[in-house]
Amino acid sequence: METELPVEPQSLKKLSFKSLKRALDLFAPSHSQFPPPDPESKKIRLSYKLNAEYGSIGSTVAKPSQVKPAVQQVPQASNTLALTGPASSGDPQKGAQNELAVVPSSQPKGPFGSGDASFSGKSTTIIPAHGSSDRNLSTAALMERIPSRWPRPVWRAPWKNYRVISGHLGWVRSVAFDPSNEWFCTGSADRTIKIWDVVTGNLKLTLTGHIEQIRGLAVSKRHTYMFSAGDDKQVKCWDLEQNKVIRSYHGHLSGVYCLALHPNIDILLTGGRDSVCRVWDIRSKMQIHALSGHDNTVCSVFTRPLDPQVVTGSHDSTIKFWDLRYGKTMATLTHHKKSVRAMAQHPIEDCFASASADNIKKFNLPKGEFLHNMLSQQKTIINAMAVNEDGVMVTGGDNGSMWFWDWKSGHNFQQKQTIVQPGSLDSEAGIYATAFDVTGSRLVTCEADKTIKMWKEDENATPETHPLNYKPPKDIRRF
């Protein structure tokens, strides 16, 4: 009796790898290439698919060789799919009655862009067969595409940088336009306010007086006054006829981060790191209200003629509506998850947008109903946002990204990355403030590389050179 040789114990994994390698070496010598297509198996596969999809339409399905030409025409412009009736019907007219034709509807393309339709993104119309049996209504290929109800964005020309202004010696933190649209002012971490000519970009005036960086600026439409607020807890009123400070408003316990002027009444609103939005009488320098209720820094504020007349956004991730008459909270919006660093009120419509690191959201006024999120996420801290009358909204991020949005649909139609001026670090690509001029045709951004950049629409762009890349959203995140 022969002694059996000891078998080396091997793991199941090792044995399966050996078997796999042997099979590959036997049957697939060229690993990088796909095996050649087998026409017979393709024919069987196609006939099975046809039977599975369209078997419920007729008693039998036509042979694959007959249906194949019609199926191949699907991606072409004709967009017609004809499925023959029972093959056994001898009368050609009877057979024609049991046919199902899928043809494009009168509209060549759905009103809301190319969705997920089966036929090259075009909407289809179903012409049912007269003598057909119960159809399988769940068949995706024959279901009529319901167009998205989401509003389709209008085409907008991309924006381009046409001027870079340097002159500040520190980060440029704030900007405001003159109501006459002849000049604009910028406040900087070099503790100065500079006034620039809109047309030429030349420096007209430099104002000094703050002892810390200037975080907020506003120019009055009713008087020849300009207001500034800074990290030095000071809020100043400048007379632009004398170019000097004529009033100071004392009361903030820490740095003042934002500033707004009421459109109809001579009052000033300032929000700061002391979590309070203070309401000042411009002439008497008296504090009318201290709107307290936020748990963290008030970093954005805007006012409107009707209630709620004051809206504030805070680092505590909430937005509050205030009753200016009684100094009380009217409503608190808790939709955001991160700090609400920027808000922008639409110049015509009764709605506003708020920006946070998690999302950009749109709300209705005066009730504050949540409308929708913008359709993309910038995925950075958004320091500034502005919107013009044409419905172009721009948001500026901490990483130097500038995104342009269609206000109505929330579609992001352009993404720009700001370029730092020579001599600056790449990490200094950050946008701190942005504003449209009075006409809405020019945009100014204030940046961390100590420059001011001016932007305008590219007049040479057309829908052919810059096509609208838009897909209607499938599921909208409500929060």
Side-chain angles (χ1 to χ4, degrees), residues 61 68 78 91 94 171 187 200 220 246 391 437 444 458 474:
V61 179
K68 197 172 180 182
S78 68
D91 190 0
K94 272 188 182 178
W171 292 351
T200 61
S220 174
I246 56 169
D437 71 345
V444 170
D458 188 357
K474 289 198 189 80

Side-chain angles (χ1 to χ4, degrees), residues 253-275:
L253 307 176
S254 192
V256 190
Y257 280 20
C258 56
L259 180 141
L261 282 167
H262 195 283
N264 297 342
I265 319 167
D266 286 341
I267 59 169
L268 171 71
L269 295 111
T270 55
R273 219 173 68 185
D274 54 4
S275 312

Side-chain angles (χ1 to χ4, degrees), residues 64-224:
S65 58
Q66 295 175 6
V67 182
K68 197 172 180 182
V71 173
Q72 285 176 346
Q73 289 174 6
V74 169
Q76 294 175 4
S78 68
N79 232 357
T80 305
L81 177 65
L83 300 175
T84 59
S88 60
S89 59
D91 190 0
Q93 290 184 353
K94 272 188 182 178
Q97 282 185 351
N98 278 340
E99 288 180 359
L100 178 80
V102 182
V103 295
S105 63
S106 57
Q107 299 175 11
K109 202 155 196 172
F112 300 106
S114 58
D116 296 325
S118 307
F119 303 110
S120 305
K122 297 183 180 180
S123 62
T124 56
T125 307
I126 299 175
I127 303 170
H130 295 290
S132 63
S133 60
D134 292 331
R135 283 190 298 142
N136 181 9
L137 293 176
S138 64
T139 306
L142 299 177
M143 291 276 282
E144 184 174 7
R145 186 168 68 85
I146 301 167
S148 171
R149 291 182 181 176
W150 200 262
R152 182 172 174 80
V154 297
W155 180 84
R156 299 185 185 280
W159 290 65
K160 63 177 184 180
N161 178 222
Y162 72 97
R163 181 180 291 146
V164 179
I165 303 169
S166 55
H168 278 295
L169 303 176
W171 292 351
V172 192
R173 299 302 302 249
S174 52
V175 61
F177 269 90
D178 164 45
S180 67
N181 213 33
E182 293 176 1
W183 52 267
F184 66 94
C185 52
T186 54
S188 167
D190 63 6
R191 308 185 297 280
T192 64
I193 301 165
K194 289 185 185 289
I195 293 178
W196 311 87
D197 190 85
V198 169
V199 178
T200 61
N202 296 332
L203 179 66
K204 298 179 81 166
L205 186 67
T206 301
L207 301 171
T208 58
H210 279 279
I211 56 173
E212 276 289 341
Q213 60 182 342
I214 293 140
R215 301 286 291 255
L217 283 172
V219 183
S220 174
K221 293 178 182 176
R222 300 155 56 86
H223 310 285
T224 57

Side-chain angles (χ1 to χ4, degrees), residues 227 233-235 248-253 256 258-262 265-271 274 276-290 324:
F227 298 87
K233 311 178 196 174
Q234 296 181 27
V235 181
S248 289
Y249 304 88
H250 299 284
H252 274 284
L253 307 176
V256 190
C258 56
L259 180 141
L261 282 167
H262 195 283
I265 319 167
D266 286 341
I267 59 169
L268 171 71
L269 295 111
T270 55
D274 54 4
V276 177
C277 177
R278 298 180 191 272
V279 185
W280 309 89
D281 184 345
I282 288 175
R283 292 188 179 280
S284 67
K285 301 184 285 185
M286 291 290 290
Q287 180 179 299
I288 302 166
H289 288 304
L324 192 58

Side-chain angles (χ1 to χ4, degrees), residues 406-446:
D406 178 68
W407 175 266
K408 189 178 178 185
S409 66
H411 170 61
N412 170 227
F413 69 88
Q414 188 186 7
Q415 298 178 11
K416 294 286 283 185
Q417 182 67 32
T418 187
I419 302 166
V420 296
Q421 69 169 339
S424 296
L425 303 172
D426 285 341
S427 59
E428 287 184 307
I431 297 167
Y432 285 129
T434 180
F436 283 101
D437 71 345
V438 176
T439 64
S441 60
R442 279 175 288 214
L443 174 71
V444 170
T445 56
C446 303

Side-chain angles (χ1 to χ4, degrees), residues 313-326:
S314 167
H315 282 338
D316 64 7
S317 75
T318 65
I319 299 165
K320 285 185 183 287
F321 293 179
W322 300 90
D323 188 332
L324 192 58
R325 188 175 173 188
Y326 300 107

